[in-house]
Amino acid sequence: MQMSFRWYGSSDPVTLANIRQIPGVVGIVTSLYHIPAGEAWPEDEIRALFQTIEAAGLQLSVIESVPVHEDIKLGRATRDEYIANYQTTLRRLAAAGVRTVCYNFMPLFDWLRTSLAYELPDGSTTLAYFDEEVDEQALLAGRLRLPAWNLETDSHLLQEMLVTYREMGTEALWDNLAYFLQAVIPVADEVGINMAIHPDDPPWPVIGIPRIIVNRAAFQRLIGLCDKPANGVCFCSGSLGASADNDLPLILRELGEAKRVHFVHLRNVRKVGPRSFYESGHLSADGSIDMLGLVRVLAEINYAGPVRPDHGRMIWGETGNPGYGLYDRALGLAYLNGLWEAARAFV
């Protein structure tokens, strides 16, 4: 597998020089974060991104992500314009050498937490989600923001979209995803890009908004919507693992044997209630997920694609983007490298 690390660009406190010093890292996972959802990415900016990463002695392994405009998710009349821009972006990324694009179809918000600095007994802080603490007004007013979000909309429009999503329901959202995939996946297939959909995080409805990429059945349905090799998934152990209903090794093996795992996020979570969890250290013993079991499956299916440690705790006094500090993610990556080396030895 290709061990990679997420980088948020020139404004990221974690530099490419820092990342290069982590043993085993070869790839960078990044995006052009300043470009609003729905716009086609400029060719010169794509080339510049490649050049910056290659000059640091690394390679661009995954674009995470090319955001899907809300009008596409809502099925509005303007969606064809935004889909055309998405197709243009994929063609330009492929021409520059990109082979994997991660995206999601989460309505209104990207991954969601109720605390960005939940304190653990050892004094470190982490991301946490407690269902009873979800603050709808804080979300709609923009008082709670997370690094992954690419949503610059005023609270009035957010409220309108919230009402629309609640009214449209799950099946209409599936229909809109199908429309998007049937337009975009053939282009990705043509230009040699693997599309990896990220599961919804958390994998259940939030404040009445439907979420659909949540379990094994959802992945099976997704593949059936456009059955081409480019239509695959980003297997995220933390997102799927927040639900006790998900059998992670089964899902990973099934998708991997079907050659539909195009990207992997490996992180651990500790479940503390039916819909509550916090993000632990990567070690199996720290959370509720058998990390060795997942890496063993990756070895058994001979997975050769990009993998990255996902969100980490903030440790040793580090400050920065919540979940995206250097130290704990680097520790997690070293741990995953060790698991991979051991698992490969016994395949």
Side-chain angles (χ1 to χ4, degrees):
M1 65 185 182
Q2 183 188 57
M3 193 59 75
S4 304
F5 207 82
R6 192 163 194 179
W7 177 62
Y8 276 97
S10 59
S11 63
D12 195 332
V14 180
T15 67
L16 291 174
N18 295 149
I19 295 169
R20 191 181 181 189
Q21 294 174 17
I22 304 170
V25 175
V26 296
I28 292 296
V29 177
T30 191
S31 183
L32 292 176
Y33 298 100
H34 63 285
I35 298 179
E39 291 188 10
W41 289 16
E43 293 173 277
D44 59 340
E45 293 200 45
I46 294 171
R47 286 195 300 269
L49 183 63
F50 263 88
Q51 291 166 0
T52 298
I53 292 168
E54 289 173 352
L58 296 160
Q59 57 186 267
L60 201 165
S61 59
V62 180
I63 290 293
E64 184 183 352
S65 63
V66 180
V68 179
H69 195 277
E70 291 299 315
D71 284 11
I72 298 173
K73 301 173 195 174
L74 288 163
R76 290 176 171 167
T78 51
R79 64 181 171 180
D80 288 339
E81 172 190 347
Y82 295 121
I83 288 174
N85 287 344
Y86 207 102
Q87 294 168 326
T88 296
T89 296
L90 291 182
R91 291 191 174 99
R92 290 174 178 174
L93 288 171
V98 171
R99 292 294 170 258
T100 305
V101 169
C102 181
Y103 70 105
N104 73 71
F105 215 75
M106 291 183 244
L108 208 56
F109 307 111
D110 207 303
W111 55 271
L112 178 65
R113 299 293 182 268
T114 57
S115 176
L116 307 184
Y118 179 72
E119 187 168 347
L120 299 176
D122 64 5
S124 63
T125 60
T126 192
L127 304 172
Y129 179 94
F130 297 97
D131 200 54
E132 67 277 8
E133 295 180 4
V134 174
D135 187 338
E136 179 177 322
Q137 292 309 310
L139 292 172
L140 296 178
R143 296 195 302 272
L144 177 61
R145 302 287 295 175
L146 293 168
W149 291 5
N150 193 329
L151 185 65
E152 299 296 337
T153 306
D154 65 42
S155 58
H156 175 70
L157 292 177
L158 283 174
Q159 184 66 52
E160 286 185 2
M161 285 192 285
L162 173 63
V163 171
T164 303
Y165 276 123
R166 284 173 170 170
E167 291 175 347
M168 69 185 285
T170 298
E171 286 305 310
L173 187 58
W174 271 110
D175 289 343
N176 295 338
L177 175 57
Y179 189 94
F180 172 74
L181 292 176
Q182 288 159 14
V184 165
I185 294 299
V187 172
D189 200 55
E190 171 194 333
V191 300
I193 283 182
N194 286 323
M195 297 292 291
I197 194 167
H198 190 287
D200 296 349
D201 185 5
W204 49 71
V206 176
I207 60 172
I209 300 174
R211 291 197 163 202
I212 56 177
I213 308 301
V214 297
N215 55 24
R216 179 189 179 201
F219 286 132
Q220 293 171 335
R221 183 171 179 176
L222 168 92
I223 291 169
L225 293 177
C226 189
D227 194 5
K228 290 182 177 291
N231 184 23
V233 309
C234 168
F235 179 89
C236 179
S237 62
S239 299
L240 295 169
S243 171
D245 295 334
N246 285 327
D247 184 332
L248 300 190
L250 174 65
I251 294 171
L252 179 57
R253 186 178 300 278
E254 187 171 85
L255 291 170
E257 290 177 347
K259 306 299 182 185
R260 295 307 178 102
V261 177
H262 296 327
F263 186 27
V264 176
H265 290 180
L266 289 175
R267 63 178 168 85
N268 208 343
V269 296
R270 172 69 68 181
K271 294 189 285 286
V272 292
R275 290 192 172 183
S276 295
F277 59 90
Y278 65 81
E279 301 193 7
S280 66
H282 281 73
L283 276 68
S284 297
D286 289 345
S288 302
I289 297 173
D290 177 8
M291 302 297 286
L292 173 58
L294 293 179
V295 174
R296 184 179 289 126
V297 172
L298 289 172
E300 290 170 351
I301 64 175
N302 198 29
Y303 179 72
V307 173
R308 73 171 175 86
D310 206 357
H311 309 157
R313 302 166 299 145
M314 300 304 277
I315 63 173
W316 303 338
E318 185 178 20
T319 59
N321 288 334
Y324 285 98
L326 171 64
Y327 305 142
D328 196 48
R329 285 190 296 155
L331 290 175
L333 189 146
Y335 171 65
L336 296 173
N337 268 333
L339 293 183
W340 176 251
E341 186 171 322
R344 290 287 293 170
F346 292 99
V347 171

